[in-house]
Amino acid sequence: MAVVLCSWGDAIDGGTEEALTLARKLAGSTGVEFRWLVLGGAARAATEVAARYGVNRIDRIEGTAASASGPDALVATLAAYCGSTTPRAVLFNQGAESRVIAARLAGRLGVPVVANVFDAEPAGSSLCVTATAFGGDTHAVYELTAPVAVLSVTTTSIVAAPAAAPTTVVQHAVALDAGAIAERFEVVSAPQVAEARLEDAPIIVSGGRGLGSKENFEMVKDMAAALGGMWGGSRAIVDDGWIDSSHQVGLTGKITRPSLYVAVGISGASQHMAGCSAAKTIVAINKDADASIFRYAHYGVVGDCLEILPELIKAAKA
């Protein structure tokens, strides 16, 4: 038996090292092998990362299933893999696609799935899994008694920690024939994003309705540029049409983990904080001294952001 982290694509996604950290911990406490299943081009860069994070074995798919990339093909391939290897737990680095794949895989296998996981440990013959709930305000603990568990890991709540000593990683080819899979949906166009991902930004300046207007939001962009970071915003101003959803921070937007998060005119609703509460330092600017954001902020400024932002931009540029 083994604990397996599943990855696919042309590159190793951000958050993978955090997911590997949790998978290694679970494998060690369960007393089983720690494996990393990697499909696609990401396999080329996986060996070095795997050794650093204590992976015992990298599994690569061979056969007709090796080219799986669409969701239907991935689910079929992963189900076939689980059928041939009988893992104790299957983990995913949670993202929009992997969260769906995890649920569909669990349904295919007839086993439980838990999303938003940030901790897991054995409890006798069961697994005790801790996950965030209600936008991150609450932690829920699940006892999974099935022989296999599927876990979708929210990596912003985990600190990546390399193994005490690098491991010698064994490369293992798994021959699978998932059959001919016809994808039921075809992506005919997709947005092209030239800039870096908001999820990977070390500095983020976000704005909310407290700025008053779309024109005033330009100061948030200026502040982010002055600090060498990226800009984001709350769900409210996406709904109002100030910015597009690709820059939304929150439960239904981007889940971020920057070193510095500056929240300007944002009240601090739980849905927004789910996307930024893992920041190392949160600075809040809001004229409402009772705003929820101050419960989370490491530093807070009570005042009119339209007066404060121009001065901060000047200071940052200087």
Side-chain angles (χ1 to χ4, degrees):
M1 298 185 73
V3 169
V4 182
L5 176 69
C6 299
S7 302
W8 59 85
D10 294 328
I12 296 175
D13 291 335
T16 298
E17 293 179 342
E18 288 81 356
L20 287 168
T21 299
L22 177 59
R24 184 184 73 242
K25 173 192 171 185
L26 180 58
S29 59
T30 309
V32 298
E33 191 176 34
F34 176 22
R35 300 179 188 174
W36 187 7
L37 172 63
V38 188
L39 293 84
R44 292 188 292 272
T47 302
E48 181 181 347
V49 177
R52 193 161 66 247
Y53 282 87
V55 175
N56 302 123
R57 187 174 106 177
I58 290 179
D59 283 345
R60 294 178 291 100
I61 302 298
E62 291 187 348
T64 60
S67 59
S69 58
D72 291 327
L74 282 170
V75 171
T77 298
L78 293 175
Y81 172 83
C82 291
S84 67
T85 57
T86 60
R88 178 65 185 92
V90 182
L91 280 68
F92 294 84
N93 175 11
Q94 182 166 297
E97 182 183 32
S98 61
R99 185 166 177 162
V100 174
I101 297 295
R104 290 183 57 187
L105 173 65
R108 183 74 63 92
L109 299 176
V111 301
V113 59
V114 181
N116 304 317
V117 173
F118 65 89
D119 197 15
E121 58 186 9
S125 60
S126 305
L127 285 184
C128 186
V129 177
T130 307
T132 61
F134 299 105
D137 279 353
T138 303
H139 292 170
V141 180
Y142 303 88
E143 184 178 355
L144 307 182
T145 59
V148 182
V150 178
L151 309 180
S152 184
V153 181
T154 176
T155 58
T156 55
S157 300
I158 302 170
V159 176
T167 53
T168 300
V169 182
V170 176
Q171 295 274 351
H172 183 73
V174 181
L176 292 178
D177 183 0
I181 305 297
E183 295 293 332
R184 290 171 292 173
F185 297 93
E186 180 184 359
V187 177
V188 295
S189 65
Q192 301 298 316
V193 181
E195 62 187 13
R197 299 193 326 153
L198 192 63
E199 300 97 309
D200 300 328
I203 298 174
I204 298 174
V205 181
S206 280
R209 275 184 177 153
L211 286 158
S213 70
K214 182 177 181 179
E215 291 69 29
N216 290 335
F217 187 82
E218 293 301 315
M219 287 190 289
V220 170
K221 297 181 179 180
D222 292 342
M223 183 67 183
L227 292 175
M230 295 183 67
W231 56 270
S234 65
R235 168 70 179 269
I237 66 171
V238 172
D239 291 343
D240 289 347
W242 294 10
I243 64 173
D244 66 75
S245 59
S246 65
H247 285 271
Q248 179 189 327
V249 176
L251 186 63
T252 56
K254 307 297 184 183
I255 306 298
T256 68
R257 190 176 187 161
S259 297
L260 173 64
Y261 189 83
V262 182
V264 183
I266 293 175
S267 63
S270 60
Q271 290 84 354
H272 182 80
M273 299 313 300
C276 64
S277 59
K280 291 182 180 178
T281 303
I282 298 177
V283 177
I285 304 172
N286 201 299
K287 63 181 178 182
D288 180 5
D290 296 323
S292 298
I293 189 72
F294 291 119
R295 292 166 43 202
Y296 304 93
H298 301 87
Y299 302 95
V301 180
V302 178
D304 188 344
C305 56
L306 300 183
E307 297 178 358
I308 296 169
L309 262 186
E311 299 305 318
L312 289 178
I313 293 170
K314 288 178 185 178
K317 289 181 176 179

